[in-house]
């Protein structure tokens, strides 16, 4: 039953004949887990909190970074360095005291996914990597939980609902994760800040529709959004029984998953290393059409070609992978360490952009 204060708070919902008091009570009785408290997770969490979902779980294993503030609107500068689940709960609790929040400050793995997911009615996918997306999908299939899926990159967004009433799953749309070397991250290609807000709000709407039974959820339909033109397209897809059936969770850690634990080297340290260039191999991971000035001798191996050209990487020298901002180089180091057992590879911190500021631009100024 709704309290007198809840009836006042949710009066605009209750006035909708499609929802009414009975629908609002369904929202109050529901439990939703949001996987990822980032760009998508923030608006999802805010609107589900405002809608009066009874129990909301927040799962994230990251802390707030200043670069997040451009799009992750739950946080401000005072939250930098805090776990996102902690900062999010504090803000959301102030927004609606009628909602109970559960914090899951853990890395989602095949060992804990089922135990966490089983306590929620609906799962919302707001992560930014394919291993987590496929793990979330497979856990939902095993537990028969609907999954509200969203994805964003640059100016494009995607939205759909998987596993709704035994409907199509992520694997029906794409049976296996794409090659990570072919998928750039938003750190590399960028993202317009408002886009996650648009797609995340639409994810929250799908959750409300599923709980209250109104409208038609996007099951078997993938909505594509172009933020530059505001054009949308809906692509229908069917269930593939061969790939949709999941009985156990797999190993979802890829050899080239982004890894902050690889060895790195600063521009200053690289400058000193180059006093003995015969001991150093520098590998430029940038594509041919994305290269800026870089005076150090190096060989070119675009990141997506590294698996087929890994034998060109020296085992007898100090190997330094370089790219524009130091993102691809971390991926390359992680791949070479995990897949080919190299222990002599380093990532150039902050990439060629920082090197140019320290040395190339300075050199040009001195030559004038």
């Amino acid at each position: 039953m709704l309290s007198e204060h809840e009836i006042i708070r949710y009066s605009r919902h209750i006035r909708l004949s499609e929802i009414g008091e009975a629908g609002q009570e369904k929202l109050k009785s529901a439990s939703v887990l949001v996987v990822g408290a980032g760009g998508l997770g923030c608006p999802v969490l805010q609107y589900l909190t405002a809608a009066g979902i009874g129990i909301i779980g927040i799962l994230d294993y990251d802390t707030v970074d200043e670069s997040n503030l451009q799009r992750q609107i739950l946080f401000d500068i005072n939250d930098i360095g805090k776990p996102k689940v902690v900062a999010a709960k504090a803000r959301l609790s102030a927004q609606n005291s009628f909602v109970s929040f559960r914090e899951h400050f853990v890395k989602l793995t095949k060992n804990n996914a089922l135990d966490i997911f089983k306590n929620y009615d609906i799962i919302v996918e707001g992560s930014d990597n394919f291993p987590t997306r496929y793990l979330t999908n497979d856990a939902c299939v095993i537990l028969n939980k609907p999954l509200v899926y969203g994805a964003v990159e640059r100016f494009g967004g995607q939205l759909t609902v998987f596993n709704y009433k035994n409907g199509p799953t992520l694997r029906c749309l794409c049976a296996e994760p794409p090659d990570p070397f072919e998928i750039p991250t938003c750190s590399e290609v960028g993202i317009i800040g408002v886009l996650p807000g648009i797609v995340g709000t639409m994810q929250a709407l799908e959750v409300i529709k599923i709980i209250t039974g109104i409208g038609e959820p996007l099951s078997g339909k993938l909505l594509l959004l172009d933020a530059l033109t505001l054009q949308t397209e809906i692509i229908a897809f069917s269930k593939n029984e061969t790939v949709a059936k999941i009985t156990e969770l797999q190993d979802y850690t890829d050899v080239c998953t982004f890894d902050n634990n690889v060895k790195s080297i600063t521009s200053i340290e690289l400058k000193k290393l180059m006093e003995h260039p015969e001991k150093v191999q520098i590998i430029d991971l940038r594509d041919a059409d994305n290269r800026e000035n870089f005076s150090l001798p190096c060989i070119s191996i675009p990141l997506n070609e590294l698996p087929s050209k890994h034998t060109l990487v020296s085992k007898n020298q100090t190997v330094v992978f370089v790219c524009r901002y130091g993102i691809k180089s971390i991926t390359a180091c992680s791949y070479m360490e995990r897949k080919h057992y190299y222990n002599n590879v380093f990532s150039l911190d902050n990439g060629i952009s920082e090197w140019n500021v320290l040395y190339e631009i300075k050199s040009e100024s001195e030559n004038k």
Side-chain angles (χ1 to χ4, degrees), residues 26-79:
K26 290 179 181 178
L27 294 172
K28 180 179 180 179
S29 300
S31 58
V32 179
L33 174 67
V34 179
V35 178
L40 291 171
C42 284
V44 171
L45 288 165
Q46 285 177 296
Y47 272 99
L48 292 184
T49 298
I53 301 298
I55 298 174
I56 297 178
I58 312 168
L59 192 154
D60 201 296
Y61 193 51
D62 196 9
T63 57
V64 179
D65 182 82
E66 187 164 5
S67 66
N68 300 149
L69 304 184
Q70 167 248 14
R71 64 200 176 280
Q72 298 180 18
I73 54 176
L74 264 179
F75 313 120
D76 60 38
I77 57 174
N78 298 310
D79 296 318

Side-chain angles (χ1 to χ4, degrees), residues 297-311:
C298 57
I299 64 172
S300 174
I301 305 179
L303 181 61
N304 63 347
E305 298 178 14
L306 186 58
S308 61
K309 295 183 178 180
H310 68 271
T311 55

Side-chain angles (χ1 to χ4, degrees), residues 235-289:
I235 300 174
F237 61 100
S238 303
K239 186 167 185 177
N240 182 337
E241 297 290 350
T242 302
V243 298
K245 186 177 181 180
I246 302 293
T247 57
E248 62 181 7
L249 300 179
Q250 307 171 14
D251 183 1
Y252 298 86
T253 302
D254 198 283
V255 295
C256 39
T257 299
F258 188 90
D259 186 352
N260 279 314
N261 295 319
V262 302
K263 292 178 290 188
S264 63
I265 187 171
T266 67
S267 292
I268 295 173
E269 290 169 334
L270 177 58
K271 181 75 170 177
K272 185 170 182 61
L273 274 182
M274 292 308 294
E275 293 175 2
H276 303 281
E278 73 281 357
K279 297 182 179 180
V280 184
Q281 181 188 50
I282 300 175
I283 299 177
D284 189 343
L285 300 166
R286 296 172 299 171
D287 298 326
D289 58 353

